[in-house]
Amino acid sequence: MEDHIIYPGETAQLNYWTRKWGVSRAELHEAIMQTGSLRAWEIKEHLKKKRISFSLSGILQFIRLHL
C-alpha cells in the first residue's frame, strides 16, 4: 500500500482528500491534529472510527471512507 502524505497547506491536496472522503476541511484538519499524523491511512482510520451518522451525507461519507 502506498503511503500518501497529506500536506494541510496545499489547497489542491485538501480539496482532493475532502472530496474523496466526503469530509469538510475542518474535519480533515481536526483529524490531522488528533492523530498527530499526515499519513492518509492513519487519518482515514481515525475518521472511520469517529464518524457515525445516520443522515444521507453520513452514510455517503461512511461508504467513501470504507472504499
Side-chain angles (χ1 to χ4, degrees):
M1 175 161 115
E2 201 171 319
D3 195 22
H4 295 282
I5 300 295
I6 299 174
Y7 297 100
E10 293 187 18
T11 304
Q13 280 213 355
L14 290 178
N15 291 339
Y16 172 79
W17 293 108
T18 56
R19 274 193 314 268
K20 181 173 177 78
W21 292 336
V23 298
S24 68
R25 283 185 181 200
E27 289 172 308
L28 185 57
H29 282 293
E30 183 180 328
I32 290 170
M33 295 298 291
Q34 289 177 350
T35 61
S37 176
L38 296 175
R39 290 183 176 89
W41 69 270
E42 287 183 54
I43 295 165
K44 181 178 179 179
E45 290 302 312
H46 175 78
L47 290 168
K48 280 185 194 179
K49 291 175 187 171
K50 184 176 181 200
R51 193 65 166 182
I52 298 177
S53 176
F54 292 104
S55 67
L56 179 58
S57 63
I59 292 169
L60 291 174
Q61 183 182 34
F62 176 84
I63 292 168
R64 287 178 180 158
L65 287 168
H66 286 85
L67 291 179

